[in-house]
Amino acid sequence: MDSHENLSKRVKVCIIDTGFDERHPTLIGAKSMRRLVATKSFKGDPRNLNDEVGHGTHIAELVQTLAPEAELCIAKVAVANEMPQEDTKLIIDAIHWAVAQDADVISLSLGLDVLDSGLDFAINEAVAAGKIILAAAGNDGNNKPRAYPGRNRNVLCIHASNGKGKDGGISPRAWDNDDNFMTLGTAVPLLWKGKEVIKFGTSFATAVAAAIAADALAIIPQRVPLTPEQLSRLYSSSGMRSIFDLFSVPENGYKYIAPWNLWDGSRPSMLIRELILDALRR
């Protein structure tokens, strides 16, 4: 039996980023509720998860706030907002670790300028193992193409919207024949060192989308009777792509992920179940 067939098991999200601040109130809460289940640094001391720049802390705050029932694994691969090309190997190692931790969702709020074949192979292996991987599209608008690994078609690439579901103005252009998912990534209120900060970036949209994916994995099997095959489909990047498509509203070449529109009160529960089942057949 696959581990996700046990519906009492919590959804597990692995955040691969710059570590986390143990004093952050949201993450203190995650630890006290036993939601923070595994940590490892691949940069320096394996036990030193201290976040020096706040990026990973912000990602963890968003995931824990928006998917409070999910378990978190945190892998530290960087100590700055930019990482040297040779440290791509650390991302590969962290992905292997996430798979070994039985993470269901892997959040990569990062972007590289060039494809790395080793990283590409690790991502494809993880997706083949049933892992849902999300990555940031990049923040340079039309000045740069979509970042990597968001270019990998097995990855759910996430762009940034504003709070109204409109293009946030920082994402690369929407690709033809692709989903171009987006969610909130501009003017995101977060906490750092006890003070509120406002952040912009597809990194933060990726965290929001990772939380939506975790919530979908937790809620859908409780509301919709799924066969083992349908459940396996849900727990896959391609299956979550179909679910995100169902949740989405078209917007100027992008698709704004808005699951509340499915449960807006205008559709009977039977119709919602059929729409979800239909999405999982695609």
Side-chain angles (χ1 to χ4, degrees):
M1 175 183 290
D2 292 338
S3 60
H4 60 249
E5 291 184 28
N6 177 6
L7 297 185
S8 65
K9 170 184 174 288
R10 292 185 186 276
V11 177
K12 190 178 292 184
V13 180
C14 183
I15 296 166
I16 298 176
D17 215 285
T18 62
F20 71 103
D21 178 9
E22 290 187 348
R23 297 164 296 180
H24 191 287
T26 300
L27 296 175
I28 290 174
K31 289 181 73 174
S32 69
M33 295 295 290
R34 298 183 179 178
R35 300 290 189 267
L36 185 59
V37 296
T39 62
K40 184 174 181 179
S41 177
F42 293 85
K43 182 77 172 177
D45 184 344
R47 297 164 298 178
N48 181 9
L49 274 291
N50 182 52
D51 186 0
E52 299 179 26
V53 294
H55 194 276
T57 300
H58 297 323
I59 301 307
E61 177 186 354
L62 282 168
V63 173
Q64 175 62 22
T65 300
L66 299 175
E69 295 301 313
E71 294 181 339
L72 299 183
C73 301
I74 296 181
K76 179 178 175 179
V77 296
V79 295
N81 288 320
E82 302 287 336
M83 65 188 304
Q85 186 67 34
E86 59 266 23
D87 279 2
T88 302
K89 173 66 166 57
L90 305 183
I91 305 173
I92 296 171
D93 292 342
I95 290 173
H96 291 321
W97 179 78
V99 173
Q101 297 303 311
D102 198 24
D104 303 299
V105 178
I106 300 174
S107 177
L108 296 171
S109 286
L110 53 86
L112 308 176
D113 288 332
V114 296
L115 182 149
D116 181 278
S117 59
L119 178 56
D120 213 44
F121 185 78
I123 286 170
N124 292 338
E125 270 196 326
V127 169
K131 308 308 175 185
I132 297 165
I133 301 184
L134 305 93
N139 302 328
D140 295 299
N142 290 328
N143 290 318
K144 283 188 178 181
R146 180 184 289 188
Y148 183 79
R151 294 180 212 164
N152 183 314
R153 293 290 185 146
N154 285 325
V155 168
L156 300 177
C157 182
I158 309 299
H159 304 72
S161 76
N162 64 21
K164 299 292 186 180
K166 300 294 185 179
D167 177 13
I170 59 175
S171 300
R173 70 170 182 83
W175 277 12
D176 296 333
N177 303 315
D178 194 41
D179 294 295
N180 303 301
F181 293 122
M182 69 174 180
T183 191
L184 179 65
T186 66
V188 182
L190 294 159
L191 195 66
W192 179 240
K193 304 296 186 183
K195 296 181 180 179
E196 184 177 86
V197 293
I198 304 298
K199 292 293 182 177
F200 294 74
T202 58
S203 288
F204 309 107
T206 301
V208 173
I212 292 172
D215 287 336
L217 293 178
I219 293 169
I220 288 174
Q222 302 294 340
R223 302 286 183 88
V224 181
L226 300 176
T227 66
E229 293 76 16
Q230 290 165 335
L231 192 61
S232 291
R233 172 75 172 154
L234 177 64
Y235 274 79
S236 70
S237 277
S238 59
M240 190 55 63
R241 183 180 296 276
S242 294
I243 293 297
F244 275 8
D245 186 58
L246 175 63
F247 288 166
S248 293
V249 178
E251 165 58 30
N252 197 27
Y254 299 98
K255 292 181 180 179
Y256 175 57
I257 308 168
W260 45 89
N261 284 331
L262 185 63
W263 285 278
D264 63 0
S266 67
R267 298 179 178 90
S269 58
M270 183 65 72
L271 175 57
I272 293 173
R273 287 198 294 270
E274 286 306 313
L275 289 170
I276 290 171
L277 291 172
D278 183 62
L280 293 175
R281 294 186 192 105
R282 297 176 202 163

